Each structure stands twice: as C-alpha cells, then as structure tokens.
Amino acid sequence: MASPADTGRPEAPERKAKGEGGGEEAPQEGDLRSVLVTSVLSLEQLDLDLFRGRHYWVPVTQRLFGGQIVGQALVAAAKAVSEDVQVHSLHCYFVRAGDPTVPVLYQVERTRTGKSFSVRSVKAIQHGKPILICQASFQQDQPSPVKHQFHMPDVPLPEELLTQEELIQKYLQDPNLLDRYRQGLNKMLAQEVPIEIKPVNPPDVFHRRPQEPKQLLWVRARGHIGECDMKLHCCVAAYISDYAFLQTALFPHQHYRVSFMVSLDHSMWFHAPFRADHWMLYECESPWAGGSRGLVHGRLWRRDGVLAASCAQEGVIRVKEQPSGSKL
C-alpha cells in the first residue's frame, strides 16, 4: 500500500467537484449537458420524500438497468439531507426485476440524522412492490492524518485508446465477420448508452478464449456536468459503476453461454472528490465465482492517480455449456 504522498500525486481537493486530473480537456461553451443529469437522474418530486423517476436506456434484456435504479435512489436520498454533507457509502439489494414500461417511485425514510453521519433508506417501488432497497450514508467533512491508498494501475491514457463504438466499427470492417456477430455488433452500436467507454484490455469477443477475470476501462459520462455539488457526481458514478461490471466474472468461462445473469446487490464507497464527466479508470476484478453466483470488485481512479471510489457487487450467473467441439 502507498499513500498519495508516496506516489507523488496530489492530495484530494475540496468537496466541490472540480476539474481534477491533469490533462483533462476543458469543457467547451457549446458542450451538451449530460443526459444523465437532464433526464436519467432527474427525479420528479411528488410529495415530501417521495419521487418519481423515468427511464432512458434499457438493455437488450428488456429489464431496467440496475445502475439507473441505484443512481436514482441515491438522488432521492441526497434530496433528503442538508447541502453540507456528502455521500460516503451506499448499499443496495435488487429484490425484483424492474419493468421498463412504467415509472419507478422512490420513497425515502430519514432513518438517522446525526452530527457527523446521517442515514437515508430508499425503496424503489413498481406495481406496489419494492424492486430495490437502498441504504445511503452521508458524512460531514472530517479531515484526518490517517490516510493511504493503493497505487493506480499503469495503463495507456484514454487519448491513446479507441472508444467502444470505434472498436465495434473496426470489427465490422472485417469482410470475414460472421453474420451473427455482425448483427450483434450492430445492435450494440444502435444502443444510446449515456456513458463513454474506452477499454484498456478489450476481451476477445470472437474466439472466446478464457481470460483472467479482470478488466480495465476508462469511463465518463457523455456530455458536460461541470462543477457542482459532489453528491450529483456520486449519483452519476453510481450509474456508471454497474455497466459491464458483473461480466468480469465470465472472462475465465468463455466456453459457456449465459442463460441468465442479474445483479443481486451493489455497494459503493466514495473516497475523494471527482468529476464524473472526466475520464476515470475503472479497475474491475472477480475474486470468486461459484454456486451460480459471481462476485466482482471495482475501483474508480481519477486520472491523476487518486482513488475516487470503490464498489462491490454479487450477481446470479446461470450458464449453458457449449456442445463439445462447437464453434460460436
């Protein structure tokens, strides 16, 4: 382990999210406001501590994207605390599949308001039943000399890498690409995902060779968010953190076809201020899988090497074994 001082990297700035990171391009005047702020994480207040959220991106599974429900639940919790506290952790359980055809109601309970820490409980409800239960904890800023962090992995900068869309376009240029792959890639390209992604170590999606259960991705929200309350950047990061996270557990098991995969729970801890519309390195690894479940851990690093957030998730993974000698 090493402290930020040992790595030669700057200390964390104040709790208002600023343009940290060194080398990040400055937002231009004409930049579009991120849809994650204007639509996806924008809740309608119906009553005191009661909100309604709508949907933007729905995966091909036709279930609600878990990151959206987590992000919206954190937005609802943040609306029930004072401006001078910041979110430091959240713990969520997905208890039912979400229905993309109807809005989600978010009911907040002000569980505890203390001098240093405050807890808010949120139920995400559809058809009169909870689909997610979330506990979010907020903290007053409390400086301390006790601090350390791991070293950020040494990887190429995002400017040196292709986006996920550019990688797909590159694959589609192959004249020998099988039709089933071409159809699948075109479907992926047509999805309007509000996240920009640049894989550092893109998996071999065609040969399906077993790989170590680790992946590295540069990620950021599409569009401009800017300097604002740090809680909003945490809500956006909660949305981003669920994208392609559980798939890390499948990398050593490419000879299986997934029949069912869904998140069971999701936890995050926020360590330092960051900008969710600036590139962050998402380090994902799966230390264990078994019993039709997979566990994944993640770290979100600012590009200046400061650890911004950590997360963990477990999910159900059910697969079908490929027939002997079959080719995808």
Side-chain angles (χ1 to χ4, degrees), residues 74-85:
L74 187 56
V75 170
K79 288 179 179 293
V81 295
S82 60
E83 292 184 1
D84 61 340
V85 298

Side-chain angles (χ1 to χ4, degrees), residues 119-167:
V119 178
R120 298 294 181 260
S121 305
V122 184
K123 282 186 182 179
I125 301 168
Q126 283 186 323
H127 305 296
K129 296 179 179 179
I131 62 172
L132 174 134
I133 299 170
C134 174
Q135 298 275 350
S137 184
F138 300 81
Q139 181 188 14
Q140 293 274 0
D141 277 343
Q142 293 179 291
S144 169
V146 179
K147 57 177 71 175
H148 65 260
Q149 67 165 58
F150 285 167
H151 287 280
M152 175 180 169
D154 185 16
V155 299
L157 294 174
E159 291 77 16
E160 303 170 18
L161 299 169
L162 298 177
T163 65
Q164 186 165 268
E165 291 80 9
E166 289 168 339
L167 282 170

Side-chain angles (χ1 to χ4, degrees), residues 55 64-74 94 104 106 124 131-132:
H55 322 310
L64 286 183
F65 175 49
Q68 176 180 293
I69 308 305
V70 173
Q72 289 183 343
L74 187 56
F94 298 96
V104 181
Y106 294 91
I131 62 172
L132 174 134

